Amino acid sequence: MLKFIRAFTRIKNISPINIKEDEIEKELFECERGTHLLLGKFTEAEIYEALEEEGVIEELKKKELYPVEVSIDHENILKQKILIDLKEETEPKPKRIMEIIIGECRYRVKKNIETYLKNPEINCMVVEWFVLQNVKMSFSEEFPRLPGQRYPGLRIGKHVLKLLENLARATNKDCFIAFPEFYHNAVMYIDYLHFLNPETEGRVLKMKDDLKNLPLAKVSFAFCGECIIEKKGSEERKIGWTAEEMIYPVSEELLLYFDSPEYRTVKEKAYNEHSYKIDTLCYELKEEELMTKF
């Protein structure tokens, strides 16, 4: 059982920086084992200041989720957590309202993508886990539960994305990369992150448009149950959701890639060739099971 909201999958097809374990802190983080510095550079106080600068702390105050404590935890050598806990005098234990697990890697793009990039190996900050939850709210008609959620979201994602962008820039990364585990994660952040594969970008944008009149929670659960019908030409098939890499570009090369005529052409072709609708009967038969499983 998961303790927190699952927002992004565990990363599978990446290569950690290839150095010996006993050299990682020195070569990768330029610091000694046992450090509490995030990415070998940032103290907890500096992360708190960065959250203030990006408006996160102010948003938390507005939602009466304050005071908070920011801490950094090292899950292992290459995986670090940014944790924000709500501290209230009336509660014996702090409540977790934000958890982000990040790491660093070199990501080798697939062959159908590498022809468009000068360097097919991208220097990435990996966002492996992304949780924003309002522990003072309950689900309602206005804020129904989405797959993976235990509490409603904080609705401050764009502020946190800016923080992650700044961390990627400060550590000289080409981007940060994430794999959206559920459909709703992808469509909520597709204005900021883009699928590395332009065909996937086009298909997901068409999903968003074709299914926009349905409740997002219903659509996301329907994807979990493979109750979405994809049509291309005369062919139809039922599909579920498959996580693929999404990129928040920082380097000039990646920014140019996502704005290139080649990327746009493939994206637009995929958008125009596909259409999507929910299989209502399939969803109704599976709804109860899906609500329990996800």
Side-chain angles (χ1 to χ4, degrees):
M1 180 176 176
L2 295 165
K3 191 173 182 181
F4 302 110
I5 303 168
R6 296 188 66 182
F8 295 113
T9 60
R10 298 289 177 182
I11 307 304
K12 296 178 181 178
N13 49 335
I14 63 174
S15 298
I17 296 174
N18 187 24
I19 56 179
K20 294 179 181 179
E21 184 172 329
D22 60 359
E23 296 175 335
I24 287 178
E25 279 83 359
K26 181 179 178 182
E27 300 296 331
L28 179 59
F29 299 134
E30 298 182 353
C31 56
E32 299 300 323
R33 185 180 295 275
T35 179
H36 291 288
L37 299 178
L38 182 73
L39 303 174
K41 290 181 177 290
F42 307 104
T43 65
E44 291 167 345
E46 287 171 331
I47 295 300
Y48 184 94
E49 289 175 5
L51 290 165
E52 278 191 314
E53 289 176 7
E54 297 307 328
V56 173
I57 300 300
E58 182 61 30
E59 289 297 319
L60 294 178
K61 288 179 178 178
K62 290 178 183 178
K63 300 175 190 297
E64 298 182 357
L65 295 169
Y66 195 83
V68 295
E69 179 180 57
V70 176
S71 58
I72 296 168
D73 179 48
H74 292 245
E75 183 172 302
N76 62 42
I77 296 172
L78 290 175
K79 204 178 292 183
Q80 301 168 68
K81 296 179 182 179
I82 303 172
L83 307 172
I84 299 184
D85 293 322
L86 174 64
K87 299 186 71 175
E88 296 180 298
E89 293 182 1
T90 56
E91 296 292 335
K93 291 180 62 176
K95 292 182 178 179
R96 183 67 39 83
I97 58 176
M98 183 185 301
E99 178 174 345
I100 305 172
I101 300 179
I102 59 176
E104 297 175 294
C105 77
R106 294 192 180 104
Y107 186 81
R108 181 82 184 189
V109 302
K110 297 180 180 69
K111 288 185 177 180
N112 62 325
I113 304 296
E114 67 179 18
T115 55
Y116 300 111
L117 297 172
K118 293 179 181 178
N119 186 358
E121 193 172 79
I122 304 171
N123 189 18
C124 300
M125 185 176 80
V126 182
V127 181
E128 187 178 347
W129 191 266
F130 189 83
V131 175
L132 304 172
Q133 58 186 15
N134 191 332
V135 296
K136 287 190 173 184
M137 282 187 66
S138 300
F139 296 113
S140 62
E141 288 189 13
E142 185 180 3
F143 299 107
R145 188 175 75 84
L146 296 165
Q149 285 188 324
R150 289 189 62 186
Y151 296 95
L154 288 173
R155 306 175 74 85
I156 59 170
K158 64 180 181 180
H159 298 281
V160 179
L161 291 181
K162 188 64 179 177
L163 168 70
L164 295 172
E165 177 192 345
N166 292 340
L167 292 176
R169 290 186 184 280
T171 51
N172 299 311
K173 299 296 184 292
D174 297 318
C175 65
F176 67 79
I177 184 171
F179 287 62
E181 185 174 12
F182 298 112
Y183 167 78
H184 66 269
N185 300 133
V187 299
M188 287 168 67
Y189 291 106
I190 202 166
D191 289 340
Y192 308 97
L193 290 87
H194 301 288
F195 285 97
L196 193 58
N197 186 337
E199 181 177 356
T200 304
E201 179 90 352
R203 290 176 61 238
V204 174
L205 286 170
K206 190 60 182 298
M207 293 171 189
K208 182 181 178 181
D209 286 348
D210 285 356
L211 302 168
K212 65 184 179 182
N213 292 326
L214 296 171
L216 180 58
K218 180 177 181 178
V219 175
S220 198
F221 277 113
F223 268 103
C224 292
E226 298 185 353
C227 294
I228 298 296
I229 298 172
E230 178 182 75
K231 184 176 181 180
K232 182 180 180 182
S234 60
E235 297 181 1
E236 286 189 354
R237 62 174 184 147
K238 287 184 183 179
I239 62 169
W241 178 253
T242 301
E244 290 188 30
E245 60 270 61
M246 291 187 84
I247 298 287
Y248 189 111
V250 174
S251 70
E252 183 178 359
E253 182 178 7
L254 284 176
L255 288 166
L256 290 173
Y257 166 69
F258 288 115
D259 195 40
S260 67
E262 294 85 358
Y263 185 92
R264 291 199 305 270
T265 297
V266 175
K267 177 182 72 174
E268 290 167 6
K269 184 174 185 292
Y271 181 95
N272 292 325
E273 286 181 343
H274 293 83
S275 63
Y276 298 89
K277 62 183 179 180
I278 191 170
D279 185 327
T280 303
L281 179 60
C282 172
Y283 178 73
E284 289 176 350
L285 290 173
K286 294 184 178 182
E287 183 177 10
E288 185 175 347
E289 177 189 354
L290 294 171
M291 291 292 180
T292 303
K293 187 174 180 180
F294 297 97

